[in-house]
Amino acid sequence: MHRQRVMARTLGLATAVALAATACGSQKTENTGSASTAPSASAAVTTPESSPSSDDKPAGDPSASPSASASSASPSPSPSPSASASSSPSASPSVKAVMANGDDSEQVRELQARLKQLKLMSVAPTGFYGSKTTTAVKSFQSRNGLTASGSVDAETWKKIQGLTKKPTADELRPPTVNEVDAPDPRCMTGRVMCISKESRTLAWMIDGKVISTMDVRFGSENTPTREGVFDVGWKAKEWTSTIYHTPMPYAMFFSGGQAVHYSADFAARGYSGASHGCVNVRDKAKLSKLFDDVKVGDKVVVYW
């Protein structure tokens, strides 16, 4: 009996230590939702997606920063055809595209902003020409009697410009890439980090008013982010996961080892990766300001 009591106490201590450990880190595939057992920290170092299947920035190009190419800094109505455009299978064989799937430039960002004015795109401009932009361009071409190639030739570009206005700075670079969801009713009172899994956004709200917004990323299917109403238990400007040994700057813990924190992996790879349960933020400057504003005890709502 004495031996059984000793074993029980040992198991209890091990459980307490496991619950107190901070368990966030980066994974390859993104899904949503609460944390549990996760792969080793080596899963954070993975090969990014190479094919442009969405309108997120391609892997390796931090999503939080603007396009850096000096040659593409200024949008132009009549640029030289891109190399990727001429080989695009969707482009017309007789007319070279001005912009096409795979391009990454400020002109693409302007195209996306104009398509959003036309209600053909719901997401904010990223500067990367992926499947969403291709679909929007095809829809525009079909509506306007143009060949629905999905690539932007000179005629399509001229037509788009004629039906839209020059995008403002806010239209080109809005607060979040993802469109902010309607706040959950539980977010409408007090000081709340209102986190939507549907829109993949965090809205910092005070008494029902949105103060700031930012894009977020969640845990994978195996290590989901927990949903519900929580409080900020403690904060750490500099923190490293005690399980995965990955940095968690500006961490605000709200549910055991799960926290809102900055993720360099999210900034670099976008939604081709995932956390081990934490709420990742890719805009470090915004999160730094939020970290200063949020107090221990403030509410956190994670919802679909």
Side-chain angles (χ1 to χ4, degrees):
M1 289 293 292
H2 174 72
R3 183 177 179 183
Q4 290 177 336
R5 285 196 296 270
V6 170
M7 289 176 66
R9 282 198 297 271
T10 302
L11 287 171
L13 178 60
T15 301
V17 170
L19 288 173
T22 57
C24 283
S26 301
Q27 297 189 51
K28 182 178 180 182
T29 55
E30 194 274 345
N31 215 321
T32 50
S34 344
S36 58
T37 306
S40 65
S42 62
V45 183
T46 55
T47 303
E49 294 180 345
S50 58
S51 59
S53 58
S54 72
D55 291 81
D56 274 325
K57 287 274 189 174
D61 183 5
S63 302
S65 60
S67 300
S69 172
S71 63
S72 61
S74 301
S76 169
S78 57
S80 299
S82 65
S84 62
S86 59
S87 60
S88 171
S90 61
S92 168
S94 58
V95 180
K96 290 185 178 180
V98 175
M99 290 172 275
N101 197 315
D103 287 351
D104 186 1
S105 69
E106 287 301 294
Q107 189 183 18
V108 172
R109 186 182 294 275
E110 180 183 344
L111 166 67
Q112 292 166 334
R114 289 179 183 271
L115 289 170
K116 192 167 185 183
Q117 290 178 16
L118 294 168
K119 310 297 185 185
L120 293 173
M121 289 192 75
S122 59
V123 298
T126 63
F128 180 67
Y129 201 123
S131 59
K132 292 178 182 178
T133 305
T134 300
T135 299
V137 169
K138 281 185 177 180
S139 179
F140 176 84
Q141 290 168 328
S142 296
R143 293 182 186 183
N144 290 274
L146 303 170
T147 301
S149 65
S151 299
V152 179
D153 57 21
E155 184 181 7
T156 299
W157 184 226
K158 183 178 180 180
K159 189 78 171 178
I160 290 173
Q161 288 177 309
L163 294 173
T164 57
K165 61 181 179 63
K166 185 174 179 62
T168 64
D170 286 342
E171 286 178 312
L172 291 170
R173 287 185 172 81
T176 59
V177 170
N178 301 320
E179 194 165 345
V180 179
D181 204 359
D184 185 278
R186 296 169 293 181
C187 300
M188 300 309 292
T189 58
R191 299 164 55 87
V192 192
M193 283 194 283
C194 193
I195 303 169
S196 169
K197 286 186 172 182
E198 179 70 24
S199 64
R200 299 191 290 192
T201 57
L202 181 156
W204 169 234
M205 302 178 64
I206 299 178
D207 295 329
K209 181 181 178 181
V210 176
I211 307 302
S212 65
T213 59
M214 56 202 75
D215 297 323
V216 292
R217 185 179 72 171
F218 303 101
S220 69
E221 183 178 357
N222 294 325
T223 59
T225 304
R226 287 183 278 273
E227 298 156 24
V229 180
F230 312 91
D231 293 328
V232 176
W234 57 289
K235 300 165 52 181
K237 189 172 183 178
E238 297 293 337
W239 189 258
T240 300
S241 169
T242 57
I243 293 179
Y244 302 104
H245 311 293
T246 52
M248 299 168 57
Y250 301 104
M252 294 173 278
F253 290 89
F254 62 87
S255 178
Q258 296 192 350
V260 174
H261 69 85
Y262 172 73
S263 168
D265 181 79
F266 184 24
R269 297 197 296 140
Y271 292 103
S272 62
S275 76
H276 282 106
C278 282
V279 177
N280 289 166
V281 178
R282 59 182 166 189
D283 191 322
K284 196 171 188 178
K286 278 190 176 182
L287 185 61
S288 173
K289 176 66 168 59
L290 179 64
F291 183 87
D292 291 340
D293 291 345
V294 169
K295 300 175 182 178
V296 171
D298 284 346
K299 189 161 56 173
V300 180
V301 177
V302 183
Y303 68 100
W304 274 105

